[in-house]
Structure formats: structure tokens, C-alpha cells
Amino acid sequence: MKRPIPYGHQWIDKSDIQAVIQALKSDWITQGPKVREFERKAAKYCGAKYAVALSSGTAALQAAYLVTGIKKGDEVITSPLTFVATANAIVYCGGKPIFVDIQEDTLNINPKEIKKKVNKKTKAIAIIDFAGHPCDLNEIKRIVRKHNLLIIEDAAHSLGSEYKGKKIGSISDMTIFSFHPVKVITTGEGGMVVTNNKKFCEKLKILRHHGIVKKPKKGNWYYGVENPGYNFRLTDFQSALGINQLRKIDNFIKKRREIVAKYNRAFKDIKEIIIPTEKDYVKSAWHIYVIQLKLDKVKVSRKKIFNELQKRGIGVQVHYIPIHLQPFYRKRFGYKKGDFPTVERYYQRAITLPLFPKMTDKQINRVIKTVKKVIGFYKINKK
Ligand SMILES: *Cc1c(COP(=O)(O)O)cnc(C)c1O
């Protein structure tokens, strides 16, 4: 069998390897000058004042929630259509994730639903730019500002995306990125929070380093811990990789967008498939490409199509199982099937196709051909 095409993949070249080797030969291998350079360059790239590098996107989420002051009993309104980390990190802080349904077209949190759930216990709104498509940030801001709530944007999919001409990272109170290998750029593992708020930046830096605050007035050796923090540090050699990846980000996104254009052209006239949306006021970095099957037209389940594609070497995935249907969230918070019809309907019919900048034309064409063949097969055999 031909080698399967994965749904996502890093692109590491010689210059990346060289950058990591250089960093390993320097005096610092954990948090040092490369971390600060990575932070400076990432903040500049997205038009934010401050950036704090952390050991993962999940650590970045947890740190951002803690800085927001989320604690036991607080509620955070969020989308059920995201990676589990967005909600898990709320639970780490003792908070309760309040899920609300998504919009059918962008698959992002529905601003109208947010409004209905705001109450005295609400501490923040955690939004995610699904597949790289930014949320309607102005609309969400308009709603939450009235209630003095902070917006934390999980932008693990949308580094380099734009909303109304502005880069993601420059708009929300805190924006979180992940540098996992399938994301837009990678450091192996890694994450970042960018913000325009100096206080947040300072608190994040303390949190990532055990809660330690230096107090030279009491002696050059002295430090105090007022709140126990974590070891959420990123290494210097990971940051060296991140800096070099960031140099190439525009090309990565260009490639992603070209592949998406090819897929869209190939699938737009197939009546069994709904292709993903990109609103005219955004530019998506296209972390993933999700098609939805019109189940009444395909006449077989998503599972059948999924398995058939997988059997033929297409590394399909499903992003994501709605979080409110996960056993923990059902048991702990009482969520159940039927709570959020739009996301549940989406889940029944979604399939993620391979998309990564290093994809060859041959691989792209193989995905297109295989999808057409598998869907065509069921069409003929069900008539
Ligand atoms: C990848 C991802 C995360 C977690 O990032 P890690 O770096 O893997 O910890 C969080 N949220 C979303 C939406 C993601 O896609």
C-alpha cells in the first residue's frame, strides 16, 4: 500500500536544523536569549505589544486563565467545537466551562448564544478561531464589553490569520498560540500568549517560573513566592526553531491557501459535499480543511466514508468530538446529547482532509481523486 498522507505535518528544513544546533552550542539551552528573541519577533509579527513563550499551547491557556483570575466557581463561556485543552484548562483552574452552540457557516462560537449565558458568575469568554477562521471579534467585543468580561482567544489554529485587516493576536485581551507540529509553525512542543496588557505579561512570566518574584531590596539572592506557579518554560533551542519557522510563516500560509483553493475548486460542484467557508472580512491561515457530507445525499454514514478514505491511505480525521459529549463533561457538569444541535449536526458529517504546506501536487491530487471516487461509489450503488 502507498504511504498514507497524514492530515497535518511539520515542515523542517536544513536552516531549522542549523538554528537548533547553533542554540544547543550556546551557553543557554533552556530559557535564555532565544526565548526573548522569539517573543519579540512573534509579538511584532502579530502586532501585539507583549509575548510570553510557554511550554505548550495548553500551558499558555492555563496561564492565561489564571491571570484572568479564574478560580473555583467561576464560569467561562466557550465553544464545544475545539480541542479539549481549551475546556480542560478552565477545569484546572476550578472553573466551569459554559458551552454555547456554534454558527453553522464559520463553525465558531455564536455571539448571540454568548449573550444568553452571561451572568454574575461569568469571568471570561474563551473563543477559538476554528480551522483558522477568526471569530467575529468586533461583534463578540461589543457583547462582552457591556459586562466587563475579558476575551481569551485560543488561536492555536489561527497564527497569521487576519480579521478585518488586523493580524490575530492584536485584538483580544490575551491570545494563545500552539507550536505543536501540525500547527502553522512548530517548536516541537510549545505555546505563547500575546497581549497588549503589561500587567498580564508580567504575571504570565511569574507564573511560568514557579511564581518566583525577585526582590533585590532584600538581597540579590532573595525571591518571594506569593502564589505557587509552574514550570511552563520553553527551551532556547525550541525558541531558535520557532524564530526560524516564523521567518517562513508567510510562505507556509500561502501554500496552505493554495491547497485550499484547489480543494474548493474540486469539491464545490459535488452536491454531496459542503466545502468550508471563508468570510470576506477575514483571511484564514487554514490550519485544517473540513468537508461536511450532506448525509441525505450520500445516503451512507460518515463512518463508512471515513473508513473507506482511511483504507485508501488518506489520513482523515474528525475535528472535533463536541466537548460537552465527552464523558468527563457529561458527568461533572451534566451536559448531554441534544444540548447544542448545530455542533452535534456538524459532528455527524465532518471529515478533515490532509492539509499541510509541504504537500506535493501528487498528494493533493490523490486526495481529490480518492474523495471523488469514494463518494461516487456510494452514489452509484445506492440509487
Ligand atoms: C493544539 C491546540 C491546543 C493545545 O496546544 P498544545 O500546544 O498541543 O498544548 C489548544 N487549543 C486548540 C484549539 C488546539 O488546536
Side-chain angles (χ1 to χ4, degrees):
M1 202 180 94
K2 271 192 251 175
R3 226 171 111 197
I5 305 171
Y7 88 92
H9 199 272
Q10 71 276 17
W11 190 350
I12 300 290
D13 67 14
K14 280 190 188 137
S15 70
D16 291 311
I17 294 166
Q18 210 47 48
V20 174
I21 290 172
Q22 279 316 92
L24 284 171
K25 287 177 176 169
S26 77
D27 286 336
W28 267 274
I29 56 171
T30 190
Q31 193 169 289
K34 285 291 167 196
V35 171
R36 291 192 292 275
E37 183 184 342
F38 186 32
E39 289 171 340
R40 211 165 47 239
K41 290 184 169 164
K44 187 168 177 222
Y45 174 77
C46 38
K49 282 195 186 137
Y50 310 102
V52 181
L54 296 118
S55 51
S56 70
T58 306
L61 281 164
Q62 188 182 349
Y65 292 147
L66 286 169
V67 163
T68 304
I70 293 160
K71 53 185 191 317
K72 202 164 183 244
D74 290 339
E75 294 185 356
V76 181
I77 298 174
T78 191
S79 168
L81 187 63
T82 174
F83 183 54
V84 285
T86 319
N88 284 353
I90 297 170
V91 178
Y92 303 159
C93 306
K96 178 179 180 185
I98 303 295
F99 297 112
V100 301
D101 214 342
I102 57 166
Q103 288 175 317
E104 199 165 347
D105 51 0
T106 64
L107 306 170
N108 286 330
I109 194 165
N110 189 338
K112 289 194 188 82
E113 298 296 319
I114 295 178
K115 215 164 13 186
K116 293 183 200 162
K117 292 289 176 175
V118 177
N119 69 70
K120 271 195 221 131
K121 289 188 201 151
T122 312
K123 199 73 184 232
I125 314 287
I127 55 177
I128 84 130
D129 303 322
F130 186 81
H133 190 296
C135 292
D136 194 344
L137 294 167
N138 286 354
E139 175 70 5
I140 293 170
K141 262 188 177 171
R142 207 176 49 79
I143 291 165
V144 308
R145 283 298 180 251
K146 270 190 269 186
H147 307 278
N148 250 334
L149 298 168
L150 292 178
I151 301 171
I152 297 162
E153 186 175 356
D154 182 342
H157 298 184
S158 58
L159 175 61
S161 292
E162 290 171 21
Y163 173 76
K164 301 195 172 168
K166 280 190 187 162
K167 278 260 156 61
I168 290 304
S170 62
I171 305 165
S172 296
D173 296 295
M174 281 182 269
T175 303
I176 275 86
F177 299 120
S178 161
F179 308 124
H180 177 277
V182 297
K183 304 293 162 71
V184 181
I185 65 167
T186 189
T187 60
E189 298 284 356
M192 196 172 272
V193 180
V194 297
T195 180
N196 290 322
N197 184 312
K198 195 168 178 202
K199 278 237 161 63
F200 291 162
C201 169
E202 285 164 0
K203 286 184 178 174
L204 288 164
K205 284 183 176 170
I206 293 167
L207 257 180
R208 96 175 146 186
H209 185 56
H210 308 281
I212 285 175
V213 184
K214 292 244 162 88
K215 304 212 166 145
K217 269 188 193 154
K218 295 195 178 189
N220 284 339
W221 69 89
Y222 191 84
Y223 56 83
V225 172
E226 262 140 50
N227 283 298
Y230 300 83
N231 178 354
F232 280 164
R233 294 187 303 265
L234 191 69
T235 67
D236 248 38
F237 53 96
Q238 288 174 303
S239 299
L241 178 55
I243 293 163
N244 204 59
Q245 288 264 302
L246 193 59
R247 282 199 308 123
K248 298 180 284 185
I249 190 171
D250 290 340
N251 187 46
F252 287 166
I253 293 174
K254 185 170 154 260
K255 292 268 183 189
R256 285 181 178 276
R257 294 183 62 82
E258 283 166 9
I259 299 164
V260 168
K262 276 187 194 156
Y263 279 164
N264 282 347
R265 246 179 281 132
F267 301 136
K268 73 177 186 331
D269 295 326
I270 300 182
K271 62 178 193 314
E272 289 83 2
I273 292 178
I274 302 169
I275 59 169
T277 304
E278 187 179 32
K279 295 279 193 188
D280 58 7
Y281 56 85
V282 308
K283 184 180 167 195
S284 176
W286 287 106
H287 164 56
I288 47 173
Y289 187 88
V290 181
I291 57 166
Q292 292 180 63
L293 302 171
K294 289 189 184 160
L295 294 177
D296 54 327
K297 295 221 164 65
V298 206
K299 299 193 174 77
V300 287
S301 68
R302 186 263 313 270
K303 191 172 177 183
K304 269 240 163 69
I305 305 270
F306 185 97
N307 289 348
E308 201 58 42
L309 288 168
Q310 206 170 43
K311 221 165 70 193
R312 290 162 192 250
I314 309 300
V316 282
Q317 284 283 339
V318 173
H319 293 93
Y320 296 96
I321 301 166
I323 301 180
H324 71 281
L325 300 178
Q326 292 291 354
F328 171 83
Y329 289 88
R330 291 180 189 237
K331 250 185 266 160
R332 172 76 71 90
F333 301 112
Y335 289 109
K336 58 188 189 307
K337 209 169 168 178
D339 281 348
F340 308 110
T342 311
V343 74
E344 289 174 28
R345 193 173 343 110
Y346 159 85
Y347 170 63
Q348 294 300 320
R349 47 194 206 184
I351 297 180
T352 304
L353 300 180
L355 172 62
F356 51 94
K358 211 185 172 184
M359 256 181 121
T360 61
D361 282 340
K362 220 167 140 187
Q363 288 176 314
I364 299 163
N365 292 333
R366 191 171 136 211
V367 172
I368 292 172
K369 231 168 88 183
T370 312
V371 168
K372 284 185 170 172
K373 204 164 171 180
V374 167
I375 286 181
F377 172 83
Y378 285 110
K379 190 157 73 180
I380 294 156
N381 284 274
K382 283 282 165 176
K383 258 175 196 162

